[in-house]
Amino acid sequence: HQQLDHGGMMSDTAAQLAEITARLQKLEDEVAITRLIASYGPLVDGGCADEVGAIWTEDGVYDVDEFFYGSRADIVDMVNGEPHQKLIGNGSAHFLGPASVNVDGDDAVAVCYSVLIVRHKDRPLLVRAGTHHWEFVRTTEGWKCTR
Amino acid sequence: HQQLDHGGMMSDTAAQLAEITARLQKLEDEVAITRLIASYGPLVDGGCADEVGAIWTEDGVYDVDEFFYGSRADIVDMVNGEPHQKLIGNGSAHFLGPASVNVDGDDAVAVCYSVLIVRHKDRPLLVRAGTHHWEFVRTTEGWKCTR
Amino acid sequence: HQQLDHGGMMSDTAAQLAEITARLQKLEDEVAITRLIASYGPLVDGGCADEVGAIWTEDGVYDVDEFFYGSRADIVDMVNGEPHQKLIGNGSAHFLGPASVNVDGDDAVAVCYSVLIVRHKDRPLLVRAGTHHWEFVRTTEGWKCTR
């Protein structure tokens, strides 16, 4: 049975609350980034250009093999553009795997795989497999991808 | 160094505990639904009909392209039925991707992809790719799918 | 308006803190194991032998169809070995799906799917699909796979 004076109790409780809040925040960050990455595929296949763009910061970069998009506006344009619209109009699944997320304060990195599946003669065809390296920053509007 | 009278400290601590508990509950809900969705594939490929059924409410609906199952009992029957048993007997993987989950109080929606892989001449063959829209409700037995 | 004496408030707050900490710990465990499993693919495809080995305990077992690795050292050797190096040199993705994790105190089990995708004539080819049963134990260095 622990005896604490009033002040001792306060500081003990406050310290525990602070520790719990920090642990909770870390989990929330990790889950939020996981959710953000999991939202990319359905949004990009659904042609939701603004929502896809909102995953990135205004000057966020999307560098994907032979393509390079240097801002949120460029990413929105990519989704609205004819090649992507043709791809999704035919039926596509940007199927991303579960991300391995590492949060460090207001920054985070994550790695995941993806496959691109398209409809070909009414059958699903695996046309691309890749690895994604994500960098995130905490903003006033939540976590956003910078690269 | 913050000075609080006894009552002030109590209400401050109580408010923090309430806020933490609410944030924790939200995370638990999101993780629980993620886990529920991740359990579908292994259970359905394992032929665990009752456990698959228990993902849904009693009157939960599973509407999948040309098939429609209007209750938990129908879903259990589907798993036990000859077409599904033949499918899994040959070797199948209902491979679902990570879900994007949004919890709103006692309701939640989630989106994920899946691919169906079957054994064909001793090789894995991708035979279907799809998007899943899930609706969940909190019940006394945990989160359950309604549709 | 609840009236509590000093001692009553203490125990009430302490009880709530203990309950919250236990719930938080359970979430942290589940997320940590999810993260560990999600790290396997990128590490093994990147040839990071020591980091792959560190997922297992020293005497952890990796039993995969016709292969059997009976210790962390054996798993590290597998990653560094010629067959695996040849596989990843050609371009491979060990794409694991989201794991269904169940934590029970200092033990945990998880189930997930994986597909192995390799580059074949510059196209991604699905060459294997499988189910993984994982067993974990809590160690002083975090969760580790025992089998």
Side-chain angles (χ1 to χ4, degrees):
Chain A
H1 184 71
Q2 199 177 6
Q3 289 290 338
L4 290 169
D5 64 7
H6 192 161
M9 183 193 66
M10 276 188 69
S11 61
D12 187 54
T13 298
Q16 286 186 65
L17 285 169
E19 191 222 326
I20 286 170
T21 302
R23 289 168 62 183
L24 188 57
Q25 182 66 55
K26 196 168 157 54
L27 274 181
E28 285 174 338
D29 289 341
E30 192 159 335
V31 169
I33 291 169
T34 300
R35 194 196 303 129
L36 201 59
I37 294 175
S39 77
Y40 174 78
L43 291 175
V44 83
D45 287 312
C48 307
D50 291 339
E51 289 82 356
V52 170
I55 296 174
W56 275 264
T57 55
E58 287 284 351
D59 57 354
V61 165
Y62 187 13
D63 184 355
V64 49
D65 295 339
E66 68 273 32
F67 301 108
F68 182 89
Y69 309 100
S71 69
R72 181 189 290 174
D74 283 356
I75 294 165
V76 171
D77 285 349
M78 175 274 285
V79 178
N80 284 328
E82 197 192 326
H84 185 76
Q85 289 296 317
K86 199 173 159 190
L87 177 70
I88 66 178
N90 183 49
S92 66
H94 289 77
F95 187 126
L96 276 71
S100 174
V101 179
N102 281 283
V103 177
D104 182 14
D106 294 335
D107 297 290
V109 293
V111 176
C112 71
Y113 287 107
S114 78
V115 289
L116 173 61
I117 300 166
V118 297
R119 187 200 301 264
H120 180 70
K121 297 181 181 172
D122 277 329
R123 296 295 292 257
L125 182 67
L126 184 63
V127 295
R128 197 171 64 199
T131 317
H132 300 257
H133 174 85
W134 300 77
E135 296 174 13
F136 295 94
V137 67
R138 188 195 308 274
T139 76
T140 52
E141 296 176 327
W143 288 93
K144 298 283 176 189
C145 179
T146 53
R147 174 171 282 269
Chain B
H1 185 72
Q2 200 178 5
Q3 290 290 339
L4 289 171
D5 63 8
H6 192 164
M9 182 194 66
M10 277 190 69
S11 61
D12 187 53
T13 299
Q16 286 186 66
L17 285 169
E19 191 221 325
I20 286 170
T21 302
R23 289 167 62 183
L24 188 58
Q25 181 68 55
K26 196 168 157 54
L27 274 180
E28 287 174 337
D29 289 341
E30 193 159 333
V31 169
I33 290 167
T34 299
R35 193 196 305 129
L36 200 60
I37 293 174
S39 76
Y40 174 79
L43 291 175
V44 83
D45 287 313
C48 307
D50 290 338
E51 290 81 356
V52 171
I55 295 175
W56 274 264
T57 55
E58 287 284 350
D59 57 354
V61 165
Y62 188 12
D63 185 356
V64 49
D65 295 338
E66 68 273 33
F67 300 108
F68 182 90
Y69 309 101
S71 69
R72 180 188 290 174
D74 283 357
I75 295 166
V76 171
D77 285 349
M78 176 275 284
V79 177
N80 285 328
E82 197 192 327
H84 185 76
Q85 289 296 317
K86 198 174 160 188
L87 178 71
I88 66 178
N90 183 50
S92 66
H94 290 77
F95 188 127
L96 275 71
S100 175
V101 179
N102 281 282
V103 177
D104 182 14
D106 294 335
D107 297 290
V109 293
V111 176
C112 71
Y113 287 107
S114 78
V115 289
L116 174 61
I117 299 166
V118 298
R119 186 200 303 263
H120 180 70
K121 297 180 180 170
D122 277 327
R123 296 296 291 259
L125 181 67
L126 184 63
V127 294
R128 196 171 64 198
T131 319
H132 301 257
H133 174 85
W134 300 77
E135 295 175 12
F136 294 94
V137 68
R138 188 195 308 273
T139 75
T140 52
E141 296 175 328
W143 289 94
K144 298 284 176 187
C145 179
T146 53
R147 172 169 285 268
Chain C
H1 186 71
Q2 201 177 4
Q3 289 290 339
L4 289 170
D5 63 8
H6 192 162
M9 184 194 66
M10 279 189 66
S11 61
D12 188 53
T13 298
Q16 286 185 64
L17 284 168
E19 191 221 326
I20 285 170
T21 301
R23 288 168 62 182
L24 188 57
Q25 182 67 56
K26 195 168 160 55
L27 273 180
E28 286 175 337
D29 290 341
E30 193 159 335
V31 169
I33 291 168
T34 299
R35 194 197 303 129
L36 200 60
I37 294 175
S39 76
Y40 174 78
L43 291 174
V44 85
D45 287 313
C48 307
D50 290 339
E51 289 83 355
V52 170
I55 295 174
W56 274 264
T57 55
E58 288 285 351
D59 57 353
V61 165
Y62 188 13
D63 184 356
V64 51
D65 294 342
E66 67 273 32
F67 301 108
F68 182 91
Y69 309 101
S71 69
R72 181 190 288 174
D74 283 356
I75 294 165
V76 171
D77 286 348
M78 176 273 287
V79 178
N80 285 328
E82 197 193 326
H84 185 76
Q85 289 296 317
K86 199 174 159 190
L87 177 71
I88 67 178
N90 183 49
S92 67
H94 290 77
F95 188 127
L96 275 72
S100 174
V101 180
N102 281 283
V103 178
D104 182 15
D106 294 334
D107 297 290
V109 293
V111 177
C112 71
Y113 287 106
S114 78
V115 290
L116 173 61
I117 299 167
V118 297
R119 187 200 302 264
H120 180 70
K121 298 181 179 169
D122 277 327
R123 296 295 292 258
L125 182 66
L126 184 64
V127 294
R128 196 172 64 199
T131 318
H132 300 257
H133 174 85
W134 301 78
E135 296 175 12
F136 296 93
V137 67
R138 188 194 308 274
T139 76
T140 52
E141 297 175 328
W143 288 95
K144 298 284 177 190
C145 178
T146 53
R147 172 171 285 268

